[in-house]
Every structure is written in C-alpha cells, then in structure tokens.
PDB file of all heavy atoms in Angstrom:
ATOM      1  N   GLN A 314       0.858  -1.196  -0.013  1.00 98.00           N
ATOM      2  CA  GLN A 314       0.018  -0.018   0.016  1.00 98.00           C
ATOM      3  C   GLN A 314       0.947   1.218  -0.030  1.00 98.00           C
ATOM      4  O   GLN A 314       1.774   1.438   0.933  1.00 98.00           O
ATOM      5  CB  GLN A 314      -0.926   0.008   1.213  1.00 98.00           C
ATOM      6  CG  GLN A 314      -1.778   1.228   1.302  1.00 98.00           C
ATOM      7  CD  GLN A 314      -2.830   1.338   0.252  1.00 98.00           C
ATOM      8  OE1 GLN A 314      -3.431   0.348  -0.080  1.00 98.00           O
ATOM      9  NE2 GLN A 314      -2.989   2.550  -0.307  1.00 98.00           N
ATOM     10  N   MET A 315       0.729   2.119  -1.000  1.00 98.00           N
ATOM     11  CA  MET A 315       1.572   3.228  -1.193  1.00 98.00           C
ATOM     12  C   MET A 315       0.698   4.539  -1.099  1.00 98.00           C
ATOM     13  O   MET A 315      -0.188   4.638  -1.877  1.00 98.00           O
ATOM     14  CB  MET A 315       2.302   3.212  -2.512  1.00 98.00           C
ATOM     15  CG  MET A 315       3.088   1.939  -2.699  1.00 98.00           C
ATOM     16  SD  MET A 315       4.032   1.944  -4.286  1.00 98.00           S
ATOM     17  CE  MET A 315       2.698   1.994  -5.468  1.00 98.00           C
ATOM     18  N   ASN A 316       1.016   5.295  -0.024  1.00 98.00           N
ATOM     19  CA  ASN A 316       0.217   6.547   0.158  1.00 98.00           C
ATOM     20  C   ASN A 316       1.153   7.756   0.079  1.00 98.00           C
ATOM     21  O   ASN A 316       2.409   7.590   0.136  1.00 98.00           O
ATOM     22  CB  ASN A 316      -0.368   6.551   1.597  1.00 98.00           C
ATOM     23  CG  ASN A 316      -1.426   5.425   1.769  1.00 98.00           C
ATOM     24  OD1 ASN A 316      -2.112   4.985   0.822  1.00 98.00           O
ATOM     25  ND2 ASN A 316      -1.530   4.910   3.010  1.00 98.00           N
ATOM     26  N   SER A 317       0.561   8.934  -0.084  1.00 98.00           N
ATOM     27  CA  SER A 317       1.424  10.166  -0.153  1.00 98.00           C
ATOM     28  C   SER A 317       2.506  10.009  -1.178  1.00 98.00           C
ATOM     29  O   SER A 317       3.678  10.353  -0.978  1.00 98.00           O
ATOM     30  CB  SER A 317       1.962  10.508   1.207  1.00 98.00           C
ATOM     31  OG  SER A 317       0.950  10.662   2.146  1.00 98.00           O
ATOM     32  N   LEU A 318       2.119   9.524  -2.375  1.00 98.00           N
ATOM     33  CA  LEU A 318       3.108   9.250  -3.362  1.00 98.00           C
ATOM     34  C   LEU A 318       3.772  10.493  -3.878  1.00 98.00           C
ATOM     35  O   LEU A 318       3.088  11.578  -3.970  1.00 98.00           O
ATOM     36  CB  LEU A 318       2.448   8.491  -4.563  1.00 98.00           C
ATOM     37  CG  LEU A 318       2.261   6.995  -4.254  1.00 98.00           C
ATOM     38  CD1 LEU A 318       1.257   6.389  -5.258  1.00 98.00           C
ATOM     39  CD2 LEU A 318       3.603   6.257  -4.350  1.00 98.00           C
ATOM     40  N   LYS A 319       5.017  10.385  -4.255  1.00 98.00           N
ATOM     41  CA  LYS A 319       5.828  11.521  -4.732  1.00 98.00           C
ATOM     42  C   LYS A 319       6.365  11.155  -6.137  1.00 98.00           C
ATOM     43  O   LYS A 319       6.551  10.044  -6.492  1.00 98.00           O
ATOM     44  CB  LYS A 319       7.000  11.709  -3.805  1.00 98.00           C
ATOM     45  CG  LYS A 319       6.648  11.981  -2.371  1.00 98.00           C
ATOM     46  CD  LYS A 319       7.912  12.048  -1.522  1.00 98.00           C
ATOM     47  CE  LYS A 319       7.507  12.253   0.010  1.00 98.00           C
ATOM     48  NZ  LYS A 319       8.764  12.365   0.803  1.00 98.00           N
ATOM     49  N   PRO A 320       6.680  12.125  -6.901  1.00 98.00           N
ATOM     50  CA  PRO A 320       7.278  11.914  -8.241  1.00 98.00           C
ATOM     51  C   PRO A 320       8.502  10.983  -8.219  1.00 98.00           C
ATOM     52  O   PRO A 320       8.711  10.158  -9.107  1.00 98.00           O
ATOM     53  CB  PRO A 320       7.583  13.251  -8.795  1.00 98.00           C
ATOM     54  CG  PRO A 320       6.528  14.172  -8.116  1.00 98.00           C
ATOM     55  CD  PRO A 320       6.425  13.605  -6.766  1.00 98.00           C
ATOM     56  N   GLU A 321       9.306  11.109  -7.154  1.00 97.00           N
ATOM     57  CA  GLU A 321      10.436  10.296  -6.990  1.00 97.00           C
ATOM     58  C   GLU A 321      10.148   8.812  -6.685  1.00 97.00           C
ATOM     59  O   GLU A 321      11.081   7.955  -6.687  1.00 97.00           O
ATOM     60  CB  GLU A 321      11.379  10.811  -5.987  1.00 97.00           C
ATOM     61  CG  GLU A 321      10.778  11.126  -4.636  1.00 97.00           C
ATOM     62  CD  GLU A 321      10.372  12.618  -4.467  1.00 97.00           C
ATOM     63  OE1 GLU A 321       9.862  13.166  -5.427  1.00 97.00           O
ATOM     64  OE2 GLU A 321      10.673  13.195  -3.361  1.00 97.00           O
ATOM     65  N   ASP A 322       8.855   8.530  -6.457  1.00 98.00           N
ATOM     66  CA  ASP A 322       8.450   7.075  -6.338  1.00 98.00           C
ATOM     67  C   ASP A 322       8.261   6.451  -7.650  1.00 98.00           C
ATOM     68  O   ASP A 322       8.094   5.159  -7.731  1.00 98.00           O
ATOM     69  CB  ASP A 322       7.183   6.984  -5.500  1.00 98.00           C
ATOM     70  CG  ASP A 322       7.395   7.465  -4.033  1.00 98.00           C
ATOM     71  OD1 ASP A 322       8.432   7.137  -3.438  1.00 98.00           O
ATOM     72  OD2 ASP A 322       6.501   8.086  -3.516  1.00 98.00           O
ATOM     73  N   THR A 323       8.328   7.202  -8.756  1.00 98.00           N
ATOM     74  CA  THR A 323       8.110   6.599 -10.040  1.00 98.00           C
ATOM     75  C   THR A 323       9.190   5.555 -10.374  1.00 98.00           C
ATOM     76  O   THR A 323      10.413   5.865 -10.224  1.00 98.00           O
ATOM     77  CB  THR A 323       8.162   7.778 -11.089  1.00 98.00           C
ATOM     78  OG1 THR A 323       7.098   8.603 -10.947  1.00 98.00           O
ATOM     79  CG2 THR A 323       8.120   7.113 -12.559  1.00 98.00           C
ATOM     80  N   ALA A 324       8.754   4.343 -10.759  1.00 98.00           N
ATOM     81  CA  ALA A 324       9.722   3.246 -10.999  1.00 98.00           C
ATOM     82  C   ALA A 324       8.932   2.027 -11.420  1.00 98.00           C
ATOM     83  O   ALA A 324       7.623   2.030 -11.317  1.00 98.00           O
ATOM     84  CB  ALA A 324      10.481   2.966  -9.673  1.00 98.00           C
ATOM     85  N   VAL A 325       9.608   1.029 -11.852  1.00 98.00           N
ATOM     86  CA  VAL A 325       9.026  -0.315 -11.985  1.00 98.00           C
ATOM     87  C   VAL A 325       9.216  -0.999 -10.623  1.00 98.00           C
ATOM     88  O   VAL A 325      10.314  -1.031 -10.086  1.00 98.00           O
ATOM     89  CB  VAL A 325       9.727  -1.101 -13.112  1.00 98.00           C
ATOM     90  CG1 VAL A 325       9.080  -2.522 -13.162  1.00 98.00           C
ATOM     91  CG2 VAL A 325       9.531  -0.431 -14.474  1.00 98.00           C
ATOM     92  N   TYR A 326       8.104  -1.514 -10.139  1.00 98.00           N
ATOM     93  CA  TYR A 326       8.157  -2.137  -8.810  1.00 98.00           C
ATOM     94  C   TYR A 326       8.045  -3.650  -9.061  1.00 98.00           C
ATOM     95  O   TYR A 326       7.231  -4.151  -9.773  1.00 98.00           O
ATOM     96  CB  TYR A 326       6.922  -1.714  -7.975  1.00 98.00           C
ATOM     97  CG  TYR A 326       7.190  -0.378  -7.412  1.00 98.00           C
ATOM     98  CD1 TYR A 326       7.156   0.783  -8.249  1.00 98.00           C
ATOM     99  CD2 TYR A 326       7.381  -0.159  -5.989  1.00 98.00           C
ATOM    100  CE1 TYR A 326       7.311   2.009  -7.703  1.00 98.00           C
ATOM    101  CE2 TYR A 326       7.554   1.117  -5.497  1.00 98.00           C
ATOM    102  CZ  TYR A 326       7.585   2.205  -6.312  1.00 98.00           C
ATOM    103  OH  TYR A 326       7.788   3.434  -5.780  1.00 98.00           O
ATOM    104  N   TYR A 327       8.953  -4.346  -8.324  1.00 98.00           N
ATOM    105  CA  TYR A 327       9.049  -5.844  -8.378  1.00 98.00           C
ATOM    106  C   TYR A 327       8.814  -6.455  -7.036  1.00 98.00           C
ATOM    107  O   TYR A 327       9.283  -5.908  -6.004  1.00 98.00           O
ATOM    108  CB  TYR A 327      10.423  -6.198  -8.813  1.00 98.00           C
ATOM    109  CG  TYR A 327      10.894  -5.750 -10.144  1.00 98.00           C
ATOM    110  CD1 TYR A 327      11.480  -4.486 -10.334  1.00 98.00           C
ATOM    111  CD2 TYR A 327      10.673  -6.434 -11.291  1.00 98.00           C
ATOM    112  CE1 TYR A 327      11.890  -4.020 -11.574  1.00 98.00           C
ATOM    113  CE2 TYR A 327      11.022  -6.014 -12.559  1.00 98.00           C
ATOM    114  CZ  TYR A 327      11.713  -4.824 -12.681  1.00 98.00           C
ATOM    115  OH  TYR A 327      12.054  -4.356 -13.897  1.00 98.00           O
ATOM    116  N   CYS A 328       8.131  -7.535  -6.989  1.00 98.00           N
ATOM    117  CA  CYS A 328       8.085  -8.381  -5.762  1.00 98.00           C
ATOM    118  C   CYS A 328       9.079  -9.500  -5.951  1.00 98.00           C
ATOM    119  O   CYS A 328       9.383  -9.958  -7.037  1.00 98.00           O
ATOM    120  CB  CYS A 328       6.710  -8.818  -5.423  1.00 98.00           C
ATOM    121  SG  CYS A 328       5.986 -10.183  -6.512  1.00 98.00           S
ATOM    122  N   ALA A 329       9.554  -9.999  -4.779  1.00 98.00           N
ATOM    123  CA  ALA A 329      10.534 -11.089  -4.781  1.00 98.00           C
ATOM    124  C   ALA A 329      10.279 -11.994  -3.516  1.00 98.00           C
ATOM    125  O   ALA A 329       9.721 -11.538  -2.578  1.00 98.00           O
ATOM    126  CB  ALA A 329      11.935 -10.494  -4.689  1.00 98.00           C
ATOM    127  N   ALA A 330      10.723 -13.228  -3.666  1.00 97.00           N
ATOM    128  CA  ALA A 330      10.486 -14.204  -2.652  1.00 97.00           C
ATOM    129  C   ALA A 330      11.823 -14.820  -2.170  1.00 97.00           C
ATOM    130  O   ALA A 330      12.708 -15.108  -3.000  1.00 97.00           O
ATOM    131  CB  ALA A 330       9.572 -15.304  -3.137  1.00 97.00           C
ATOM    132  N   ARG A 331      11.904 -14.957  -0.881  1.00 96.00           N
ATOM    133  CA  ARG A 331      13.055 -15.617  -0.235  1.00 96.00           C
ATOM    134  C   ARG A 331      12.547 -16.793   0.493  1.00 96.00           C
ATOM    135  O   ARG A 331      12.057 -16.628   1.711  1.00 96.00           O
ATOM    136  CB  ARG A 331      13.846 -14.706   0.607  1.00 96.00           C
ATOM    137  CG  ARG A 331      14.834 -15.322   1.606  1.00 96.00           C
ATOM    138  CD  ARG A 331      16.069 -15.796   0.872  1.00 96.00           C
ATOM    139  NE  ARG A 331      16.980 -16.473   1.789  1.00 96.00           N
ATOM    140  CZ  ARG A 331      18.259 -16.727   1.536  1.00 96.00           C
ATOM    141  NH1 ARG A 331      18.766 -16.343   0.338  1.00 96.00           N
ATOM    142  NH2 ARG A 331      19.030 -17.320   2.426  1.00 96.00           N
ATOM    143  N   PRO A 332      12.583 -18.019   0.041  1.00 92.00           N
ATOM    144  CA  PRO A 332      11.979 -19.199   0.755  1.00 92.00           C
ATOM    145  C   PRO A 332      12.611 -19.506   2.010  1.00 92.00           C
ATOM    146  O   PRO A 332      12.020 -19.867   2.984  1.00 92.00           O
ATOM    147  CB  PRO A 332      12.134 -20.293  -0.291  1.00 92.00           C
ATOM    148  CG  PRO A 332      12.150 -19.624  -1.634  1.00 92.00           C
ATOM    149  CD  PRO A 332      12.918 -18.396  -1.339  1.00 92.00           C
ATOM    150  N   ARG A 333      14.027 -19.458   2.041  1.00 93.00           N
ATOM    151  CA  ARG A 333      14.744 -19.865   3.244  1.00 93.00           C
ATOM    152  C   ARG A 333      15.081 -18.638   4.091  1.00 93.00           C
ATOM    153  O   ARG A 333      15.082 -17.517   3.700  1.00 93.00           O
ATOM    154  CB  ARG A 333      16.003 -20.618   2.825  1.00 93.00           C
ATOM    155  CG  ARG A 333      15.697 -21.782   1.977  1.00 93.00           C
ATOM    156  CD  ARG A 333      16.925 -22.600   1.719  1.00 93.00           C
ATOM    157  NE  ARG A 333      17.574 -23.147   2.886  1.00 93.00           N
ATOM    158  CZ  ARG A 333      18.629 -23.936   2.841  1.00 93.00           C
ATOM    159  NH1 ARG A 333      19.288 -24.092   1.737  1.00 93.00           N
ATOM    160  NH2 ARG A 333      19.122 -24.384   3.984  1.00 93.00           N
ATOM    161  N   TYR A 334      15.499 -18.981   5.367  1.00 92.00           N
ATOM    162  CA  TYR A 334      15.794 -17.891   6.364  1.00 92.00           C
ATOM    163  C   TYR A 334      16.876 -16.937   5.754  1.00 92.00           C
ATOM    164  O   TYR A 334      17.805 -17.309   5.163  1.00 92.00           O
ATOM    165  CB  TYR A 334      16.211 -18.495   7.611  1.00 92.00           C
ATOM    166  CG  TYR A 334      16.634 -17.441   8.655  1.00 92.00           C
ATOM    167  CD1 TYR A 334      15.677 -16.696   9.338  1.00 92.00           C
ATOM    168  CD2 TYR A 334      18.025 -17.132   8.897  1.00 92.00           C
ATOM    169  CE1 TYR A 334      16.090 -15.682  10.210  1.00 92.00           C
ATOM    170  CE2 TYR A 334      18.422 -16.174   9.705  1.00 92.00           C
ATOM    171  CZ  TYR A 334      17.364 -15.420  10.393  1.00 92.00           C
ATOM    172  OH  TYR A 334      17.825 -14.449  11.238  1.00 92.00           O
ATOM    173  N   ALA A 335      16.660 -15.673   6.147  1.00 93.00           N
ATOM    174  CA  ALA A 335      17.666 -14.628   5.848  1.00 93.00           C
ATOM    175  C   ALA A 335      17.636 -13.681   6.939  1.00 93.00           C
ATOM    176  O   ALA A 335      16.527 -13.398   7.528  1.00 93.00           O
ATOM    177  CB  ALA A 335      17.420 -13.938   4.521  1.00 93.00           C
ATOM    178  N   THR A 336      18.750 -13.029   7.292  1.00 93.00           N
ATOM    179  CA  THR A 336      18.752 -11.999   8.336  1.00 93.00           C
ATOM    180  C   THR A 336      18.133 -10.756   7.870  1.00 93.00           C
ATOM    181  O   THR A 336      18.038 -10.594   6.632  1.00 93.00           O
ATOM    182  CB  THR A 336      20.247 -11.724   8.809  1.00 93.00           C
ATOM    183  OG1 THR A 336      20.888 -11.211   7.639  1.00 93.00           O
ATOM    184  CG2 THR A 336      20.926 -12.949   9.282  1.00 93.00           C
ATOM    185  N   PRO A 337      17.662  -9.930   8.754  1.00 93.00           N
ATOM    186  CA  PRO A 337      17.055  -8.693   8.336  1.00 93.00           C
ATOM    187  C   PRO A 337      17.840  -7.854   7.393  1.00 93.00           C
ATOM    188  O   PRO A 337      17.355  -7.306   6.384  1.00 93.00           O
ATOM    189  CB  PRO A 337      16.792  -7.968   9.626  1.00 93.00           C
ATOM    190  CG  PRO A 337      16.624  -9.050  10.655  1.00 93.00           C
ATOM    191  CD  PRO A 337      17.566 -10.074  10.215  1.00 93.00           C
ATOM    192  N   SER A 338      19.143  -7.765   7.596  1.00 94.00           N
ATOM    193  CA  SER A 338      20.008  -6.952   6.698  1.00 94.00           C
ATOM    194  C   SER A 338      20.058  -7.585   5.334  1.00 94.00           C
ATOM    195  O   SER A 338      20.194  -6.878   4.359  1.00 94.00           O
ATOM    196  CB  SER A 338      21.391  -6.765   7.319  1.00 94.00           C
ATOM    197  OG  SER A 338      22.004  -8.043   7.489  1.00 94.00           O
TER     198      SER A 338
END
C-alpha cells in the first residue's frame, strides 16, 4: 500500500521471494 506518493516514487516495482531464512539486513 503506497500513500502520499511523490514523483520520485516513479519506478518499476518488483516483488521477490526468499523461501529460506535470511537475516534482516
């Protein structure tokens, strides 16, 4: 959910999946 959108938010947006554990960083 994207609110208060700005011109600098213009981009192609991708989703991605990480099945196995990964640290927050």
